[in-house]
Amino acid sequence: MSTLALMRLLESAPDRYDWGMTVLTFGRVQRVHRAVAKAAVTAMGVNVLEIGCGTGAVAQRMAAAGARVTGIDQNPQMLEIARRRLADHAEVALVEQTAAEIDRFDPGSFHAVVASLSLSEMSSDERVYVFKQAKRLLAADGVLVVGDEVVAPRYWQRALQLVLRLPQALLGWILVGSVSSPIRDLPGELARSGFRIRQQQHFLFGTLVVVVAEPD
């Protein structure tokens, strides 16, 4: 099943977002969250920037593992839920801003830049910008960690993805006027942006992926 065809619909009701994402992914989103947090937090006290932190599910895992997290999101309702969720984590800073504004952060200021289920809502040009900025923001030996929906690698997987995605996409379009799109060539986009993939994990018939990449 598609992970994000109803992302915009769920964002319109953020109090149900986590439950909805769990249902839509048959629980696989929890595995993605765990994999993203584990890849991003390799030591106590690391600085992590999360782009599109949503309701704070990944930020919570990263903070619990010892990271200092800066989470950004453009949806104030989602951020309000994240603030309640992370009220006991003083090491997490949540900021209302778009991904286009990450150029305000200092070069080399983060050990990891994380984007979990947010890049597929962007155009390819927007992702190029994010990757370029992520490369600038990463400290030496820093990593970019992406967890998102991608076009499945095999024909039968793509056929299944299309069939399951169509009714969700139609409903999302009718209700909120837009839907996300699976990333067609994430490895290629990363390579063209100056990253090499260190490791990757696939979930849900290849439709979800967690990629750990480092600057060339």
Side-chain angles (χ1 to χ4, degrees), residues 157-175:
Q157 292 171 327
R158 291 197 292 271
L160 180 61
Q161 184 177 25
L162 179 63
V163 168
L164 293 174
R165 180 176 244 276
L166 278 175
Q168 297 177 3
L170 179 60
L171 179 60
W173 179 260
I174 291 172
L175 293 177

Side-chain angles (χ1 to χ4, degrees), residues 58-77:
V58 176
Q60 184 179 41
R61 290 180 182 276
M62 294 190 293
R68 294 190 297 268
V69 181
T70 300
I72 68 168
D73 202 286
Q74 63 184 1
N75 187 318
Q77 293 175 300

Side-chain angles (χ1 to χ4, degrees), residues 34-58:
R34 285 195 296 269
V36 167
K38 182 178 180 180
V41 185
T42 55
M44 293 289 293
V46 296
N47 291 318
V48 180
L49 172 65
E50 183 179 5
I51 299 169
C53 63
T55 60
V58 176

Side-chain angles (χ1 to χ4, degrees), residues 2-214:
S2 161
T3 307
L4 298 176
L6 289 182
M7 173 70 82
R8 297 295 174 86
L9 173 60
L10 291 171
E11 285 181 351
S12 70
D15 57 324
R16 296 190 295 274
Y17 176 83
D18 292 331
W19 172 84
M21 290 302 293
T22 299
V23 170
L24 287 174
T25 63
F26 301 104
R28 301 309 195 278
V29 71
Q30 302 297 331
R31 298 183 188 180
V32 171
H33 289 170
R34 285 195 296 269
V36 167
K38 182 178 180 180
V41 185
T42 55
M44 293 289 293
V46 296
N47 291 318
V48 180
L49 172 65
E50 183 179 5
I51 299 169
C53 63
T55 60
V58 176
Q60 184 179 41
R61 290 180 182 276
M62 294 190 293
R68 294 190 297 268
V69 181
T70 300
I72 68 168
D73 202 286
Q74 63 184 1
N75 187 318
Q77 293 175 300
M78 302 279 273
L79 282 176
E80 181 57 34
I81 293 173
R83 290 190 179 100
R84 293 198 298 267
R85 168 182 248 152
L86 297 161
D88 295 331
H89 291 280
E91 66 278 19
V92 178
L94 299 173
V95 184
E96 184 181 341
Q97 69 171 70
T98 68
E101 298 172 281
I102 61 174
D103 57 354
R104 73 179 184 87
F105 296 111
D106 294 331
S109 52
F110 296 100
H111 298 94
V113 174
V114 168
S116 181
L117 305 180
S118 58
L119 292 177
S120 56
E121 290 196 306
M122 302 178 190
S123 69
S124 58
D125 287 343
E126 288 171 328
R127 287 195 294 269
V128 167
Y129 172 81
V130 167
F131 294 151
K132 178 181 177 181
Q133 288 299 320
K135 190 174 182 180
R136 182 184 68 85
L137 294 173
L138 286 173
D141 300 323
V143 292
L144 171 66
V145 184
V146 175
D148 221 314
E149 185 185 21
V150 296
V151 174
R154 294 182 174 84
Y155 287 116
W156 70 268
Q157 292 171 327
R158 291 197 292 271
L160 180 61
Q161 184 177 25
L162 179 63
V163 168
L164 293 174
R165 180 176 244 276
L166 278 175
Q168 297 177 3
L170 179 60
L171 179 60
W173 179 260
I174 291 172
L175 293 177
V176 296
S178 62
V179 294
S180 60
S181 298
I183 303 172
R184 184 166 297 279
D185 183 21
L186 181 58
E189 290 187 13
L190 289 170
R192 290 188 292 273
S193 299
F195 283 92
R196 60 178 175 271
I197 293 177
R198 179 187 293 179
Q199 65 185 64
Q200 57 183 321
Q201 296 174 261
H202 290 275
F203 305 88
L204 200 61
F205 306 113
T207 63
L208 290 171
V209 67
V210 173
V211 170
V212 182
E214 57 192 6

